Amino acid sequence: MTLIIENVKEEFLPAFKGLSKSIQAKIKTKKTRAEIIAKWERESEKMDKAYKKGKLKTYLSAKEMHKDILKNEI
């Protein structure tokens, strides 16, 4: 049997995933292009605010970034 539920708020997704796991069913999720773009915009605004507050670490070169990644200093 196939059950399709549309226009679900993201806050309810964990409940549906838990339900599908408990009844051993598959679950597929799909976001619209507008939802994806809106999420990217929110993340971008959040990062911009963190950068302006000095809470976001930035690098002048990729080599500098890779050094920190390899040292686990991020």
Side-chain angles (χ1 to χ4, degrees):
M1 178 194 306
T2 299
L3 172 66
I4 298 173
I5 302 173
E6 295 181 337
N7 299 322
V8 176
K9 290 184 179 180
E10 196 162 337
E11 64 191 74
F12 296 111
L13 191 55
F16 283 108
K17 285 184 176 182
L19 175 64
S20 70
K21 185 176 181 180
S22 68
I23 61 173
Q24 298 175 349
K26 294 179 184 177
I27 186 169
K28 295 180 184 179
T29 59
K30 186 169 97 175
K31 292 184 180 184
T32 64
R33 183 176 174 90
E35 290 172 325
I36 294 169
I37 291 170
K39 183 178 178 185
W40 286 350
E41 287 174 345
R42 286 191 304 272
E43 289 175 357
S44 175
E45 290 170 2
K46 184 179 176 182
M47 287 175 50
D48 189 45
K49 287 178 184 177
Y51 174 76
K52 287 180 180 178
K53 289 181 180 179
K55 295 183 178 182
L56 185 67
K57 189 166 186 175
T58 58
Y59 300 94
L60 296 175
S61 70
K63 286 183 180 182
E64 184 182 349
M65 179 188 69
H66 288 277
K67 280 184 184 178
D68 271 359
I69 290 172
L70 295 174
K71 290 180 184 178
N72 293 323
E73 293 182 3
I74 295 179

